[in-house]
Short mmCIF file of all heavy atoms in Angstrom, two decimals:
data_model
loop_
_atom_site.label_atom_id
_atom_site.label_comp_id
_atom_site.label_asym_id
_atom_site.label_seq_id
_atom_site.Cartn_x
_atom_site.Cartn_y
_atom_site.Cartn_z
N MET A 227 0.85 -1.18 -0.01
CA MET A 227 0.01 0.01 0.01
C MET A 227 0.89 1.24 0.00
O MET A 227 1.83 1.31 0.76
CB MET A 227 -0.90 -0.02 1.22
CG MET A 227 -1.78 1.20 1.35
SD MET A 227 -2.96 1.10 2.69
CE MET A 227 -4.17 0.03 1.97
N LYS A 228 0.57 2.17 -0.87
CA LYS A 228 1.40 3.37 -0.99
C LYS A 228 1.05 4.38 0.10
O LYS A 228 -0.11 4.59 0.40
CB LYS A 228 1.13 3.98 -2.39
CG LYS A 228 2.05 5.13 -2.68
CD LYS A 228 2.79 4.91 -3.98
CE LYS A 228 3.38 6.19 -4.46
NZ LYS A 228 4.70 6.43 -4.06
N MET A 229 2.10 4.96 0.61
CA MET A 229 1.94 5.96 1.69
C MET A 229 2.17 7.37 1.20
O MET A 229 2.92 7.57 0.24
CB MET A 229 2.86 5.63 2.86
CG MET A 229 2.59 4.26 3.46
SD MET A 229 3.60 3.91 4.89
CE MET A 229 2.79 4.96 6.13
N LYS A 230 1.58 8.32 1.88
CA LYS A 230 1.70 9.74 1.50
C LYS A 230 2.70 10.48 2.38
O LYS A 230 2.54 11.67 2.63
CB LYS A 230 0.35 10.41 1.59
CG LYS A 230 -0.71 9.88 0.70
CD LYS A 230 -1.94 10.73 0.65
CE LYS A 230 -2.71 10.74 1.90
NZ LYS A 230 -3.99 11.46 1.81
N ILE A 231 3.71 9.79 2.87
CA ILE A 231 4.66 10.45 3.79
C ILE A 231 5.27 11.70 3.15
O ILE A 231 5.28 12.76 3.75
CB ILE A 231 5.76 9.47 4.22
CG1 ILE A 231 5.15 8.32 5.03
CG2 ILE A 231 6.83 10.19 5.05
CD1 ILE A 231 6.11 7.20 5.36
N LYS A 232 5.75 11.58 1.91
CA LYS A 232 6.40 12.73 1.29
C LYS A 232 5.43 13.87 1.09
O LYS A 232 5.74 15.03 1.39
CB LYS A 232 7.02 12.33 -0.06
CG LYS A 232 7.73 13.50 -0.73
CD LYS A 232 8.42 13.09 -2.02
CE LYS A 232 9.16 14.26 -2.60
NZ LYS A 232 9.89 13.87 -3.82
N GLU A 233 4.25 13.57 0.58
CA GLU A 233 3.25 14.60 0.32
C GLU A 233 2.94 15.38 1.59
O GLU A 233 2.90 16.61 1.59
CB GLU A 233 1.99 13.94 -0.23
CG GLU A 233 0.85 14.89 -0.53
CD GLU A 233 -0.38 14.14 -1.03
OE1 GLU A 233 -0.23 13.28 -1.90
OE2 GLU A 233 -1.46 14.43 -0.51
N ILE A 234 2.73 14.68 2.68
CA ILE A 234 2.39 15.35 3.95
C ILE A 234 3.59 16.09 4.49
O ILE A 234 3.50 17.21 4.96
CB ILE A 234 1.86 14.31 4.96
CG1 ILE A 234 0.54 13.71 4.45
CG2 ILE A 234 1.66 14.97 6.32
CD1 ILE A 234 0.06 12.49 5.22
N ARG A 235 4.76 15.45 4.42
CA ARG A 235 5.98 16.06 4.95
C ARG A 235 6.27 17.40 4.26
O ARG A 235 6.53 18.42 4.90
CB ARG A 235 7.17 15.11 4.76
CG ARG A 235 8.51 15.70 5.19
CD ARG A 235 9.66 14.76 4.88
NE ARG A 235 9.83 14.46 3.48
CZ ARG A 235 10.35 15.31 2.59
NH1 ARG A 235 10.70 16.52 2.93
NH2 ARG A 235 10.54 14.94 1.32
N VAL A 236 6.19 17.40 2.91
CA VAL A 236 6.45 18.61 2.13
C VAL A 236 5.42 19.68 2.47
O VAL A 236 5.76 20.87 2.65
CB VAL A 236 6.48 18.29 0.64
CG1 VAL A 236 6.50 19.55 -0.21
CG2 VAL A 236 7.68 17.42 0.30
N LYS A 237 4.16 19.29 2.57
CA LYS A 237 3.07 20.26 2.88
C LYS A 237 3.33 20.91 4.24
O LYS A 237 3.02 22.06 4.43
CB LYS A 237 1.72 19.52 2.88
CG LYS A 237 0.55 20.45 3.04
CD LYS A 237 -0.76 19.71 3.14
CE LYS A 237 -1.17 19.18 1.75
NZ LYS A 237 -2.53 18.55 1.79
N LYS A 238 3.89 20.13 5.19
CA LYS A 238 4.15 20.67 6.56
C LYS A 238 5.50 21.43 6.62
O LYS A 238 5.81 22.00 7.66
CB LYS A 238 4.20 19.52 7.54
CG LYS A 238 2.93 18.70 7.61
CD LYS A 238 1.89 19.35 8.44
CE LYS A 238 0.67 18.41 8.51
NZ LYS A 238 -0.33 18.87 9.43
N GLY A 239 6.28 21.41 5.51
CA GLY A 239 7.55 22.14 5.53
C GLY A 239 8.63 21.44 6.34
O GLY A 239 9.53 22.11 6.87
N VAL A 240 8.60 20.13 6.39
CA VAL A 240 9.56 19.34 7.16
C VAL A 240 10.51 18.66 6.17
O VAL A 240 10.07 18.12 5.16
CB VAL A 240 8.82 18.29 8.00
CG1 VAL A 240 9.80 17.41 8.77
CG2 VAL A 240 7.84 18.95 8.97
N THR A 241 11.81 18.73 6.46
CA THR A 241 12.77 18.04 5.59
C THR A 241 12.86 16.57 5.94
O THR A 241 12.40 16.15 7.04
CB THR A 241 14.19 18.64 5.75
OG1 THR A 241 14.69 18.34 7.05
CG2 THR A 241 14.22 20.15 5.48
N GLN A 242 13.43 15.79 5.04
CA GLN A 242 13.62 14.37 5.32
C GLN A 242 14.47 14.21 6.57
O GLN A 242 14.21 13.34 7.40
CB GLN A 242 14.30 13.66 4.14
CG GLN A 242 13.37 13.40 2.99
CD GLN A 242 14.08 12.65 1.86
OE1 GLN A 242 15.29 12.63 1.77
NE2 GLN A 242 13.29 12.04 0.98
N LEU A 243 15.52 15.03 6.69
CA LEU A 243 16.41 14.91 7.84
C LEU A 243 15.70 15.24 9.16
O LEU A 243 15.87 14.53 10.16
CB LEU A 243 17.63 15.82 7.65
CG LEU A 243 18.71 15.73 8.73
CD1 LEU A 243 19.24 14.31 8.83
CD2 LEU A 243 19.85 16.71 8.44
N GLU A 244 14.87 16.28 9.14
CA GLU A 244 14.14 16.63 10.35
C GLU A 244 13.19 15.50 10.76
O GLU A 244 13.11 15.15 11.94
CB GLU A 244 13.31 17.91 10.13
CG GLU A 244 14.16 19.16 10.02
CD GLU A 244 13.41 20.37 9.51
OE1 GLU A 244 12.37 20.22 8.86
OE2 GLU A 244 13.84 21.50 9.80
N LEU A 245 12.47 14.94 9.77
CA LEU A 245 11.57 13.82 10.07
C LEU A 245 12.34 12.63 10.59
O LEU A 245 11.97 12.01 11.58
CB LEU A 245 10.77 13.43 8.82
CG LEU A 245 9.78 12.30 8.99
CD1 LEU A 245 8.74 12.60 10.09
CD2 LEU A 245 9.10 11.99 7.67
N ALA A 246 13.46 12.34 9.94
CA ALA A 246 14.29 11.21 10.38
C ALA A 246 14.75 11.35 11.82
O ALA A 246 14.66 10.41 12.61
CB ALA A 246 15.48 11.06 9.43
N LYS A 247 15.22 12.54 12.18
CA LYS A 247 15.69 12.78 13.54
C LYS A 247 14.55 12.60 14.54
O LYS A 247 14.77 12.00 15.61
CB LYS A 247 16.29 14.18 13.66
CG LYS A 247 17.66 14.28 13.04
CD LYS A 247 18.23 15.67 13.24
CE LYS A 247 19.64 15.77 12.65
NZ LYS A 247 20.24 17.10 12.85
N LYS A 248 13.37 13.10 14.22
CA LYS A 248 12.23 12.98 15.16
C LYS A 248 11.80 11.53 15.34
O LYS A 248 11.24 11.16 16.36
CB LYS A 248 11.07 13.83 14.68
CG LYS A 248 11.32 15.32 14.82
CD LYS A 248 10.18 16.14 14.26
CE LYS A 248 10.48 17.61 14.39
NZ LYS A 248 9.38 18.46 13.88
N LEU A 249 12.03 10.72 14.28
CA LEU A 249 11.62 9.30 14.33
C LEU A 249 12.73 8.38 14.77
O LEU A 249 12.49 7.19 14.97
CB LEU A 249 11.10 8.88 12.95
CG LEU A 249 9.84 9.57 12.46
CD1 LEU A 249 9.55 9.21 10.99
CD2 LEU A 249 8.64 9.22 13.33
N GLY A 250 13.95 8.90 14.89
CA GLY A 250 15.08 8.05 15.31
C GLY A 250 15.53 7.10 14.22
O GLY A 250 15.96 5.97 14.49
N VAL A 251 15.38 7.53 12.92
CA VAL A 251 15.84 6.72 11.80
C VAL A 251 16.78 7.58 10.95
O VAL A 251 16.90 8.78 11.18
CB VAL A 251 14.67 6.21 10.95
CG1 VAL A 251 13.75 5.32 11.77
CG2 VAL A 251 13.89 7.34 10.33
N SER A 252 17.38 6.99 9.93
CA SER A 252 18.27 7.74 9.07
C SER A 252 17.47 8.47 7.96
O SER A 252 16.34 8.07 7.67
CB SER A 252 19.30 6.83 8.40
OG SER A 252 18.65 5.98 7.48
N ARG A 253 18.06 9.52 7.40
CA ARG A 253 17.44 10.24 6.32
C ARG A 253 17.19 9.31 5.13
O ARG A 253 16.15 9.39 4.49
CB ARG A 253 18.27 11.47 5.88
CG ARG A 253 17.52 12.37 4.91
CD ARG A 253 18.44 13.09 3.94
NE ARG A 253 19.34 12.25 3.21
CZ ARG A 253 19.01 11.53 2.13
NH1 ARG A 253 17.80 11.54 1.62
NH2 ARG A 253 19.91 10.79 1.52
N SER A 254 18.13 8.39 4.88
CA SER A 254 17.96 7.48 3.78
C SER A 254 16.79 6.52 3.99
O SER A 254 16.14 6.13 3.05
CB SER A 254 19.26 6.72 3.50
OG SER A 254 19.61 5.91 4.60
N THR A 255 16.52 6.21 5.25
CA THR A 255 15.34 5.37 5.55
C THR A 255 14.06 6.10 5.13
O THR A 255 13.18 5.53 4.47
CB THR A 255 15.28 4.99 7.04
OG1 THR A 255 16.42 4.17 7.33
CG2 THR A 255 14.01 4.24 7.39
N VAL A 256 13.97 7.38 5.51
CA VAL A 256 12.78 8.18 5.11
C VAL A 256 12.71 8.27 3.58
O VAL A 256 11.64 8.09 3.03
CB VAL A 256 12.85 9.61 5.75
CG1 VAL A 256 11.75 10.48 5.22
CG2 VAL A 256 12.75 9.49 7.26
N ALA A 257 13.83 8.46 2.92
CA ALA A 257 13.85 8.55 1.46
C ALA A 257 13.34 7.27 0.82
O ALA A 257 12.59 7.30 -0.14
CB ALA A 257 15.26 8.88 0.97
N MET A 258 13.75 6.13 1.39
CA MET A 258 13.30 4.83 0.88
C MET A 258 11.83 4.61 1.08
O MET A 258 11.15 4.06 0.22
CB MET A 258 14.14 3.70 1.44
CG MET A 258 15.55 3.65 0.87
SD MET A 258 16.48 2.19 1.30
CE MET A 258 16.83 2.50 3.00
N TRP A 259 11.30 5.08 2.22
CA TRP A 259 9.84 4.99 2.46
C TRP A 259 9.12 5.80 1.41
O TRP A 259 8.14 5.36 0.81
CB TRP A 259 9.47 5.54 3.83
CG TRP A 259 9.91 4.73 5.01
CD1 TRP A 259 10.34 3.43 5.04
CD2 TRP A 259 9.99 5.20 6.34
NE1 TRP A 259 10.66 3.08 6.32
CE2 TRP A 259 10.48 4.15 7.15
CE3 TRP A 259 9.73 6.44 6.96
CZ2 TRP A 259 10.65 4.27 8.52
CZ3 TRP A 259 9.93 6.55 8.34
CH2 TRP A 259 10.37 5.49 9.09
N GLU A 260 9.60 7.03 1.19
CA GLU A 260 8.92 7.94 0.27
C GLU A 260 9.00 7.44 -1.17
O GLU A 260 8.06 7.66 -1.95
CB GLU A 260 9.55 9.33 0.35
CG GLU A 260 9.24 10.01 1.67
CD GLU A 260 9.81 11.41 1.81
OE1 GLU A 260 10.58 11.85 0.93
OE2 GLU A 260 9.50 12.05 2.79
N ALA A 261 10.06 6.75 -1.52
CA ALA A 261 10.22 6.22 -2.88
C ALA A 261 9.49 4.89 -3.08
O ALA A 261 9.42 4.39 -4.18
CB ALA A 261 11.71 6.03 -3.20
N GLY A 262 8.98 4.35 -1.98
CA GLY A 262 8.24 3.07 -2.08
C GLY A 262 9.16 1.87 -2.13
O GLY A 262 8.72 0.76 -2.42
N ILE A 263 10.46 2.09 -1.84
CA ILE A 263 11.43 0.99 -1.86
C ILE A 263 11.22 0.09 -0.62
O ILE A 263 11.26 -1.13 -0.72
CB ILE A 263 12.87 1.54 -1.92
CG1 ILE A 263 13.07 2.28 -3.23
CG2 ILE A 263 13.87 0.42 -1.72
CD1 ILE A 263 14.35 3.11 -3.30
N ASN A 264 11.01 0.76 0.51
CA ASN A 264 10.70 0.05 1.77
C ASN A 264 9.47 0.68 2.36
O ASN A 264 9.06 1.79 2.01
CB ASN A 264 11.86 0.22 2.75
CG ASN A 264 13.07 -0.58 2.38
OD1 ASN A 264 12.99 -1.59 1.73
ND2 ASN A 264 14.23 -0.11 2.82
N THR A 265 8.88 -0.03 3.33
CA THR A 265 7.76 0.54 4.08
C THR A 265 8.15 0.57 5.53
O THR A 265 8.93 -0.28 5.99
CB THR A 265 6.47 -0.29 3.89
OG1 THR A 265 6.74 -1.63 4.28
CG2 THR A 265 5.98 -0.24 2.49
N PRO A 266 7.59 1.52 6.28
CA PRO A 266 7.94 1.57 7.71
C PRO A 266 7.41 0.35 8.44
O PRO A 266 6.38 -0.24 8.06
CB PRO A 266 7.17 2.82 8.20
CG PRO A 266 6.71 3.55 7.00
CD PRO A 266 6.71 2.58 5.86
N ASN A 267 8.11 0.02 9.48
CA ASN A 267 7.64 -1.04 10.40
C ASN A 267 6.27 -0.60 10.93
O ASN A 267 6.04 0.54 11.20
CB ASN A 267 8.65 -1.18 11.51
CG ASN A 267 8.35 -2.32 12.48
OD1 ASN A 267 7.25 -2.35 13.01
ND2 ASN A 267 9.30 -3.20 12.64
N ALA A 268 5.36 -1.54 11.07
CA ALA A 268 4.00 -1.20 11.52
C ALA A 268 4.01 -0.46 12.84
O ALA A 268 3.16 0.42 13.05
CB ALA A 268 3.19 -2.49 11.64
N SER A 269 4.96 -0.74 13.69
CA SER A 269 5.01 -0.06 15.00
C SER A 269 5.43 1.39 14.85
O SER A 269 5.19 2.21 15.76
CB SER A 269 5.97 -0.79 15.93
OG SER A 269 7.29 -0.72 15.45
N LYS A 270 6.03 1.76 13.71
CA LYS A 270 6.49 3.13 13.48
C LYS A 270 5.36 4.03 12.89
O LYS A 270 5.44 5.25 12.99
CB LYS A 270 7.66 3.07 12.49
CG LYS A 270 8.71 4.13 12.57
CD LYS A 270 9.30 4.29 13.95
CE LYS A 270 10.75 4.60 13.96
NZ LYS A 270 11.18 4.96 15.31
N ILE A 271 4.36 3.43 12.31
CA ILE A 271 3.33 4.20 11.62
C ILE A 271 2.59 5.17 12.53
O ILE A 271 2.42 6.34 12.15
CB ILE A 271 2.37 3.23 10.86
CG1 ILE A 271 3.17 2.59 9.71
CG2 ILE A 271 1.17 4.00 10.32
CD1 ILE A 271 2.42 1.54 8.94
N PRO A 272 2.16 4.77 13.74
CA PRO A 272 1.53 5.76 14.61
C PRO A 272 2.45 6.94 14.95
O PRO A 272 2.01 8.10 15.04
CB PRO A 272 1.16 4.97 15.87
CG PRO A 272 1.11 3.56 15.40
CD PRO A 272 2.14 3.44 14.33
N GLU A 273 3.72 6.66 15.14
CA GLU A 273 4.69 7.71 15.42
C GLU A 273 4.86 8.68 14.25
O GLU A 273 4.93 9.90 14.41
CB GLU A 273 6.04 7.11 15.83
CG GLU A 273 7.03 8.10 16.33
CD GLU A 273 8.34 7.45 16.79
OE1 GLU A 273 8.49 6.21 16.70
OE2 GLU A 273 9.23 8.20 17.19
N ILE A 274 4.92 8.13 13.03
CA ILE A 274 5.02 8.96 11.83
C ILE A 274 3.77 9.85 11.76
O ILE A 274 3.90 11.05 11.49
CB ILE A 274 5.13 8.09 10.55
CG1 ILE A 274 6.43 7.29 10.55
CG2 ILE A 274 5.02 8.95 9.29
CD1 ILE A 274 6.50 6.18 9.52
N SER A 275 2.62 9.29 11.95
CA SER A 275 1.38 10.04 11.92
C SER A 275 1.40 11.18 12.95
O SER A 275 1.05 12.30 12.62
CB SER A 275 0.20 9.09 12.20
OG SER A 275 -1.00 9.77 12.23
N ARG A 276 1.84 10.90 14.13
CA ARG A 276 1.88 11.91 15.20
C ARG A 276 2.88 13.03 14.85
O ARG A 276 2.53 14.20 14.94
CB ARG A 276 2.25 11.25 16.54
CG ARG A 276 2.32 12.24 17.70
CD ARG A 276 2.84 11.58 18.98
NE ARG A 276 4.10 10.89 18.83
CZ ARG A 276 5.28 11.47 18.81
NH1 ARG A 276 5.37 12.77 18.83
NH2 ARG A 276 6.38 10.76 18.69
N VAL A 277 4.08 12.63 14.43
CA VAL A 277 5.11 13.61 14.10
C VAL A 277 4.71 14.52 12.96
O VAL A 277 5.00 15.71 12.96
CB VAL A 277 6.46 12.90 13.81
CG1 VAL A 277 7.49 13.83 13.17
CG2 VAL A 277 7.03 12.25 15.07
N LEU A 278 4.00 13.95 11.98
CA LEU A 278 3.53 14.76 10.85
C LEU A 278 2.24 15.51 11.13
O LEU A 278 1.76 16.24 10.26
CB LEU A 278 3.39 13.87 9.60
CG LEU A 278 4.71 13.35 8.99
CD1 LEU A 278 4.40 12.42 7.85
CD2 LEU A 278 5.59 14.51 8.55
N GLY A 279 1.68 15.33 12.31
CA GLY A 279 0.49 16.06 12.70
C GLY A 279 -0.78 15.60 12.01
O GLY A 279 -1.71 16.38 11.81
N CYS A 280 -0.85 14.35 11.65
CA CYS A 280 -2.05 13.78 11.02
C CYS A 280 -3.13 13.60 12.07
O CYS A 280 -2.84 13.28 13.23
CB CYS A 280 -1.74 12.42 10.41
SG CYS A 280 -0.54 12.50 9.05
N GLU A 281 -4.39 13.78 11.68
CA GLU A 281 -5.49 13.58 12.59
C GLU A 281 -5.72 12.08 12.83
O GLU A 281 -6.20 11.69 13.88
CB GLU A 281 -6.75 14.23 12.06
CG GLU A 281 -6.67 15.74 12.13
CD GLU A 281 -7.99 16.39 11.70
OE1 GLU A 281 -9.03 15.76 11.81
OE2 GLU A 281 -7.91 17.57 11.30
N SER A 282 -5.38 11.27 11.85
CA SER A 282 -5.51 9.81 12.01
C SER A 282 -4.45 9.13 11.15
O SER A 282 -3.89 9.73 10.23
CB SER A 282 -6.89 9.32 11.58
OG SER A 282 -7.04 9.37 10.20
N ILE A 283 -4.19 7.89 11.45
CA ILE A 283 -3.20 7.09 10.71
C ILE A 283 -3.65 6.97 9.24
O ILE A 283 -2.82 6.92 8.34
CB ILE A 283 -3.00 5.72 11.38
CG1 ILE A 283 -2.29 5.90 12.70
CG2 ILE A 283 -2.25 4.78 10.47
CD1 ILE A 283 -2.20 4.63 13.54
N ASP A 284 -4.96 6.92 9.03
CA ASP A 284 -5.48 6.75 7.67
C ASP A 284 -5.01 7.85 6.73
O ASP A 284 -4.89 7.62 5.52
CB ASP A 284 -7.03 6.76 7.68
CG ASP A 284 -7.59 5.52 8.38
OD1 ASP A 284 -6.89 4.51 8.49
OD2 ASP A 284 -8.77 5.57 8.78
N GLU A 285 -4.70 9.04 7.23
CA GLU A 285 -4.22 10.14 6.40
C GLU A 285 -2.90 9.79 5.72
O GLU A 285 -2.58 10.40 4.69
CB GLU A 285 -4.03 11.42 7.20
CG GLU A 285 -5.29 12.10 7.57
CD GLU A 285 -5.02 13.40 8.32
OE1 GLU A 285 -4.31 14.23 7.79
OE2 GLU A 285 -5.55 13.54 9.43
N LEU A 286 -2.14 8.86 6.26
CA LEU A 286 -0.84 8.49 5.69
C LEU A 286 -0.97 7.64 4.41
O LEU A 286 0.03 7.45 3.71
CB LEU A 286 -0.02 7.71 6.70
CG LEU A 286 0.56 8.52 7.87
CD1 LEU A 286 1.24 7.57 8.84
CD2 LEU A 286 1.52 9.57 7.38
N PHE A 287 -2.12 7.11 4.13
CA PHE A 287 -2.27 6.16 3.03
C PHE A 287 -3.11 6.75 1.91
O PHE A 287 -4.10 7.42 2.15
CB PHE A 287 -2.92 4.87 3.56
CG PHE A 287 -2.09 4.16 4.56
CD1 PHE A 287 -2.29 4.37 5.92
CD2 PHE A 287 -1.10 3.29 4.18
CE1 PHE A 287 -1.53 3.75 6.88
CE2 PHE A 287 -0.31 2.65 5.12
CZ PHE A 287 -0.52 2.88 6.48
N PHE A 288 -2.71 6.44 0.68
CA PHE A 288 -3.52 6.80 -0.47
C PHE A 288 -4.74 5.90 -0.49
O PHE A 288 -4.65 4.71 -0.19
CB PHE A 288 -2.72 6.60 -1.79
CG PHE A 288 -1.70 7.64 -2.03
CD1 PHE A 288 -0.36 7.37 -1.82
CD2 PHE A 288 -2.05 8.91 -2.45
CE1 PHE A 288 0.60 8.37 -2.02
CE2 PHE A 288 -1.11 9.89 -2.70
CZ PHE A 288 0.23 9.60 -2.48
N GLU A 289 -5.87 6.46 -0.86
CA GLU A 289 -7.06 5.65 -1.00
C GLU A 289 -6.96 4.82 -2.27
O GLU A 289 -6.41 5.26 -3.27
CB GLU A 289 -8.30 6.53 -1.08
CG GLU A 289 -8.59 7.25 0.22
CD GLU A 289 -9.87 8.02 0.16
OE1 GLU A 289 -10.82 7.60 -0.51
OE2 GLU A 289 -9.93 9.08 0.84
N ASP A 290 -7.47 3.61 -2.19
CA ASP A 290 -7.50 2.76 -3.40
C ASP A 290 -8.41 3.41 -4.40
O ASP A 290 -9.53 3.84 -4.06
CB ASP A 290 -8.01 1.36 -3.04
CG ASP A 290 -7.02 0.59 -2.19
OD1 ASP A 290 -5.83 0.89 -2.26
OD2 ASP A 290 -7.50 -0.32 -1.47
N GLU A 291 -7.97 3.45 -5.65
CA GLU A 291 -8.81 4.01 -6.70
C GLU A 291 -9.89 2.98 -7.04
O GLU A 291 -9.60 1.84 -7.31
CB GLU A 291 -7.99 4.32 -7.92
CG GLU A 291 -7.03 5.48 -7.68
CD GLU A 291 -6.24 5.83 -8.95
OE1 GLU A 291 -6.70 5.50 -10.05
OE2 GLU A 291 -5.18 6.44 -8.79
N LYS A 292 -11.10 3.43 -7.02
CA LYS A 292 -12.22 2.55 -7.36
C LYS A 292 -12.50 2.69 -8.86
O LYS A 292 -12.56 3.79 -9.37
CB LYS A 292 -13.49 2.94 -6.58
CG LYS A 292 -13.27 3.01 -5.10
CD LYS A 292 -13.66 1.72 -4.44
CE LYS A 292 -13.74 1.80 -2.96
NZ LYS A 292 -12.58 1.55 -2.21
N LYS A 293 -12.60 1.58 -9.53
CA LYS A 293 -12.91 1.61 -10.95
C LYS A 293 -14.40 1.48 -11.14
O LYS A 293 -15.06 0.68 -10.46
CB LYS A 293 -12.18 0.47 -11.69
CG LYS A 293 -10.69 0.64 -11.63
CD LYS A 293 -10.00 -0.37 -12.46
CE LYS A 293 -8.51 -0.13 -12.41
NZ LYS A 293 -7.76 -1.02 -13.27
N ASP A 294 -14.92 2.32 -12.04
CA ASP A 294 -16.36 2.23 -12.35
C ASP A 294 -16.65 0.95 -13.12
O ASP A 294 -15.99 0.67 -14.13
CB ASP A 294 -16.79 3.43 -13.21
CG ASP A 294 -16.72 4.76 -12.43
OD1 ASP A 294 -16.86 4.69 -11.20
OD2 ASP A 294 -16.52 5.79 -13.07
N PRO A 295 -17.64 0.19 -12.66
CA PRO A 295 -17.99 -0.98 -13.46
C PRO A 295 -18.66 -0.50 -14.75
O PRO A 295 -19.55 0.29 -14.72
CB PRO A 295 -18.96 -1.74 -12.55
CG PRO A 295 -19.46 -0.72 -11.56
CD PRO A 295 -18.39 0.35 -11.46
N ALA A 296 -18.17 -1.02 -15.83
CA ALA A 296 -18.72 -0.56 -17.14
C ALA A 296 -19.35 -1.71 -17.88
O ALA A 296 -19.05 -2.82 -17.73
CB ALA A 296 -17.63 0.06 -17.98
#
């Protein structure tokens, strides 16, 4: 499942390095999450949500696109 970490981070004016420091991970780890190369450990997701100021964890995820039945 694709996450919106970069989209939210940029909107909040937070750099990858700032986010990484607040989460206790490396900047390259954040970059890999944003590129979709790796995903955060499930235990890290609530912390990412909190640090980025999301109202809920759901905000971190792109909604699945629904296809119209034709």
